[in-house]
Amino acid sequence: MPKPVLLPPDLEAVFTDNKHDPETLITAFMPIFCKHVQADRIFVQPRNPQTRVCKVLRWRRDESIPWPAIPKQVIDEWFVEDNWEVEDPLWRAALHLKPSIYIEDLEKSAKEGVLNLDFESRYMFHTAFIHGHAHSPPLPPTGEPDEGGNERQFYGSVQPAVFGGPRVWSEEVRELVGRCLVRIAPLMKEVGEKAPPREHFGERS
């Protein structure tokens, strides 16, 4: 049996106090998580991987922090995802069940082919961010056998961001983010599985 994944006490309290309502839990999780990783903004996007219907929940430190302006993205309501992977290699990586990606410097990452700088500049406005991938079952630690690979699905992204320049994401932050993703992915799965079918939006599955 795997060891329980523990979080700092204030984050543990979020999971305990909201265990019967996963969407409320995610909403309460965002500001406390951002305090730990020192992020200015976050959005969490639970999704149904079979239908690609999703919902965006978000938080920002104050009104000086801009919201993303992604085309066809609706806030706090279910909608059908656009084909963002055409322009966004980070979303493409998430759909291909790759590990989370830590962007410390946008221009450097663009030169390395990790991201589309035009997409990030036009729609996201951040200067550093984490493209967290909520997989269930979670990816195993490097070097360990992958026992859940055939069943793994991508149930949404967790994207904390900062503004005002590059950011080095420390090993401590990366380790905490990994633990948080393991804990929150099953709840994002639970939320995503309640998404209305594509027919609800006038589209076929």
Side-chain angles (χ1 to χ4, degrees):
M1 175 179 270
K3 293 181 180 179
V5 176
L6 300 178
L7 302 176
D10 52 356
L11 283 168
E12 282 292 345
V14 169
F15 282 81
T16 300
D17 295 346
N18 301 282
K19 59 185 177 182
H20 299 301
D21 188 339
E23 190 166 325
T24 298
L25 189 156
I26 292 170
T27 299
F29 167 85
M30 291 190 287
I32 298 175
F33 174 73
C34 283
K35 181 189 72 173
H36 281 278
V37 302
Q38 297 183 336
D40 300 316
R41 182 189 76 192
I42 186 172
F43 65 91
V44 177
Q45 186 171 339
R47 67 191 295 271
N48 184 314
Q50 277 71 48
T51 64
R52 296 195 64 167
V53 175
C54 69
K55 177 184 286 191
V56 173
L57 308 172
R58 63 188 191 176
W59 174 89
R60 60 182 174 178
R61 177 172 44 79
D62 57 50
E63 293 183 358
S64 71
I65 304 300
W67 292 124
I70 299 175
K72 300 183 180 180
Q73 189 182 75
V74 182
I75 305 302
D76 295 331
E77 296 180 9
W78 294 107
F79 66 100
V80 178
E81 296 171 2
D82 198 9
N83 294 321
W84 298 311
E85 64 273 18
V86 174
E87 284 191 87
D88 183 5
L90 296 170
W91 190 253
R92 189 159 60 244
L95 293 176
H96 290 164
L97 305 179
K98 301 297 184 183
S100 300
I101 300 171
Y102 294 79
I103 302 298
E104 299 184 335
D105 183 306
L106 264 67
E107 292 192 4
K108 180 180 178 182
S109 295
K111 290 176 181 177
E112 295 170 347
V114 176
L115 57 78
N116 178 344
L117 185 59
D118 181 61
F119 181 90
E120 303 298 334
S121 299
R122 277 189 293 148
Y123 303 136
M124 305 302 289
F125 317 121
H126 45 213
T127 58
F129 64 102
I130 300 169
H131 204 273
H133 303 162
H135 298 124
S136 185
L139 289 168
T142 303
E144 294 191 11
D146 188 355
E147 299 178 354
N150 293 333
E151 301 176 4
R152 183 170 297 113
Q153 298 280 354
F154 171 52
Y155 285 98
S157 63
V158 177
Q159 297 191 39
V162 299
F163 298 78
R167 162 73 64 85
V168 174
W169 300 107
S170 68
E171 286 304 315
E172 290 81 6
V173 164
R174 292 171 185 244
E175 194 269 340
L176 175 61
V177 170
R179 284 188 283 139
C180 286
L181 288 170
V182 169
R183 289 287 297 274
I184 207 165
L187 302 169
M188 294 175 69
K189 176 182 178 181
E190 186 176 346
V191 174
E193 288 176 342
K194 295 177 182 177
R198 290 179 72 105
E199 289 85 351
H200 177 82
F201 306 93
E203 298 193 25
R204 294 182 179 180
S205 300

